[in-house]
Amino acid sequence: MDDCLFCKIIRGEIPSFKIFEDDHAYAFLDINPFGRGHTLVVPKFHADQLFRLPPEELAGVMPAVQRVATLLRNRLRCDGMALMQLNGACAGQTVNHVHFHLIPRYEGQPAGWQPLAPVPAAQELAALRDEILGR
Ligand code: 5GP
Ligand code: ZN
């Protein structure tokens, strides 16, 4: 899809803080995170909603969801992990390319569904990416 934001990110036409990539999936930090380490895992196959993602593509992306969740847990030492996937504007979907939100959660901290304030600067996200990747 030529004008899809996440397809452009996958193709490298729009920069992202990449966490993981394989043949089926691309994972990168959300620029407006609900929690520290909020990461999006997207199938490389373009489908606007879960209903139109071929089952074999879903099967291709889910190992990356688990792998990235494990990486975030290990590197950020979070206590829990939220997995969220929205379909349709009424559900809160704003980008029409299937994506899985992974949001690290911590004991004693609010597990809200709103963006952190202030929005982290690019430098902060770059440092977080390096921390997650163990650089
Ligand atoms: P949705 O509400 O569709 O489930 O989630 C879309 C997510 O994409 C939001 O959490 C939003 O912050 C994130 N997002 C939107 N534009 C960009 C972008 O250009 N780069 C990155 N990394 N994330 C984005
Ligand atoms: Zn797309």
Side-chain angles (χ1 to χ4, degrees):
M1 287 288 282
D2 289 350
D3 58 353
C4 168
L5 174 64
F6 287 174
C7 284
K8 286 182 181 172
I9 286 178
I10 293 164
R11 291 195 297 264
E13 294 166 17
I14 291 177
S16 66
F17 298 102
K18 184 168 88 172
I19 299 299
F20 177 75
E21 180 175 14
D22 66 11
D23 288 348
H24 299 282
Y26 190 94
F28 54 103
L29 293 179
D30 196 301
I31 47 164
N32 202 8
F34 286 15
R36 187 167 187 269
H38 182 165
T39 299
L40 301 174
V41 185
V42 308
K44 287 190 169 175
F45 184 95
H46 176 88
D48 62 341
Q49 295 186 3
L50 184 65
F51 312 106
R52 283 177 282 281
L53 186 66
E56 60 274 18
E57 299 295 340
L58 179 62
V61 74
M62 289 316 287
V65 171
Q66 186 186 43
R67 186 168 171 168
V68 172
T70 303
L71 179 70
L72 293 172
R73 188 183 60 163
N74 290 345
R75 295 285 187 192
L76 301 180
R77 301 188 179 284
C78 54
D79 303 303
M81 182 71 60
L83 170 60
M84 179 174 82
Q85 198 277 316
L86 306 176
N87 298 280
C90 66
Q93 184 181 13
T94 59
V95 178
N96 292 325
H97 179 128
V98 172
H99 49 283
F100 297 87
H101 297 256
L102 285 170
I103 307 165
R105 297 299 198 188
Y106 297 86
E107 302 276 359
Q109 289 188 11
W113 299 104
Q114 337 46 52
L116 295 175
V119 174
Q123 223 176 359
E124 209 178 317
L125 290 176
L128 180 58
R129 183 258 331 265
D130 290 349
E131 182 181 341
I132 293 166
L133 298 181
R135 288 179 179 166

